[in-house]
Amino acid sequence: MVGAVAHAGCGKAVGEGAPGADAAVDGAPDNTPPPDSAVATAPRCDPSKPFGAPIQVANVNSTARDQGAILIDELTMLFGSDRNTMTNIYSSTRASLTSPFTTPVALDGLDGADVESSPSVTDDGLTLYYAHAVTGSVNAGDLYVTQRTSKTAQFPVGTPVGVVNSTSDEEDPYITPDGSALYFDSARTGTQLHLYSAVRQADGSFAPPQEMSLNTNGVVDSHPHLSHDGLTIYWSSTRTDGGAQPGTDIWMATRSSTAGEFGTATRVPELSSSSNESLSWISADGCEALLQSDRAPTLGAQDIFIALRPM
């Protein structure tokens, strides 16, 4: 089974000989500001430390099922909810990282007559992947994609992602920040959901999905989500870690290179409980994570929680 997917990074080189790079004239200090890339940004957490205890996100949860939350620029939340009978994708915003989220509204533009959930967006905020199921269809779910022209525009109705869908159930897509690889779960080889990945090819299409080496026979492995650098993967699994575990916990694995295989799976104890948990998003600096859980006291069948790493 193949678990390695190349995850291209992006960046820009700083040119030599830029203004201010020469020595000060006549002994006067050179007060030219350094280039942006040289300005250090103070970290807001220690990414090597465990997350703090998850807490419910205020204002966004309902008495129904809320799940699969992500953030765009850490200010706009998208998530799936069945608060109005049909599961659809909702949006909520906040003015700053410390501001409360606004009351969620259904995402305009998508086909609200069908089931839509589990959003995932590229770093530029313009391409949205999500799980879609046609009402009354025997096919439990497919992966869809839609693109908008700007962050202020609506996402139009999506279309099925080529190659990756099957006659079985595909759920919980995660698109890498640069759109070069797609991770998801599928029951195409049996009744249990397992993890798959597909690499984007030179012509823009995805290669046939490959089953990941992290899967374990007889258990559910689902809800994949990678760190921004592509070196850590989080997912939910019903596997046990030596004790009685009635539901899904959050697990993780790391690799030294985006071209390599992920290593040993380890449970993330601070994000897991005796209830069901799945991680749905983690910030680029690794300091903030969103997850869904039915741990008490939830407002509904499942709530969205946030967990923060300390300094």
Side-chain angles (χ1 to χ4, degrees), residues 111-136:
D111 184 3
D114 293 325
V115 173
E116 293 145 349
S117 63
S118 304
S120 182
V121 178
T122 51
D123 245 13
D124 59 12
L126 302 182
T127 305
L128 168 68
Y129 289 79
Y130 59 99
H132 176 275
V134 177
T135 304

Side-chain angles (χ1 to χ4, degrees), residues 12-68:
K12 58 181 180 180
V14 178
E16 297 179 355
D22 297 331
V25 178
D26 295 331
D30 181 6
N31 294 320
T32 304
D36 291 344
S37 59
V39 178
T41 301
R44 57 174 175 163
C45 80
D46 181 347
S48 67
K49 291 184 177 180
F51 284 100
I55 59 174
Q56 289 161 299
V57 178
N59 297 341
V60 302
N61 292 303
S62 69
T63 56
R65 180 175 181 263
D66 302 292
Q67 50 82 30

Side-chain angles (χ1 to χ4, degrees), residues 166-170 186-194 196 211:
S166 71
T167 57
S168 185
D169 186 18
E170 278 73 45
S186 174
R188 64 184 62 197
T189 58
T191 59
Q192 303 283 13
L193 289 171
H194 279 172
Y196 289 81
E211 187 173 357

Side-chain angles (χ1 to χ4, degrees), residues 276-292:
N276 294 284
E277 281 83 28
S278 298
L279 186 142
S280 57
W281 176 86
I282 188 167
S283 59
D285 60 6
C287 292
E288 186 176 2
L290 295 175
L291 58 143
Q292 59 208 37

Side-chain angles (χ1 to χ4, degrees), residues 114-207:
D114 293 325
V115 173
E116 293 145 349
S117 63
S118 304
S120 182
V121 178
T122 51
D123 245 13
D124 59 12
L126 302 182
T127 305
L128 168 68
Y129 289 79
Y130 59 99
H132 176 275
V134 177
T135 304
S137 172
V138 296
N139 194 2
D142 282 334
L143 302 186
Y144 272 52
V145 62
T146 178
Q147 291 182 307
R148 60 183 178 180
T149 55
S150 71
K151 288 186 179 180
T152 58
Q154 295 181 4
F155 283 109
V157 174
T159 57
V161 180
V163 180
V164 302
N165 292 307
S166 71
T167 57
S168 185
D169 186 18
E170 278 73 45
E171 298 285 351
D172 309 309
Y174 167 78
I175 187 69
T176 55
D178 60 1
S180 63
L182 181 66
Y183 293 76
F184 61 97
D185 51 71
S186 174
R188 64 184 62 197
T189 58
T191 59
Q192 303 283 13
L193 289 171
H194 279 172
L195 303 176
Y196 289 81
S197 59
V199 179
R200 193 181 297 280
Q201 303 178 107
D203 63 0
S205 65
F206 286 105

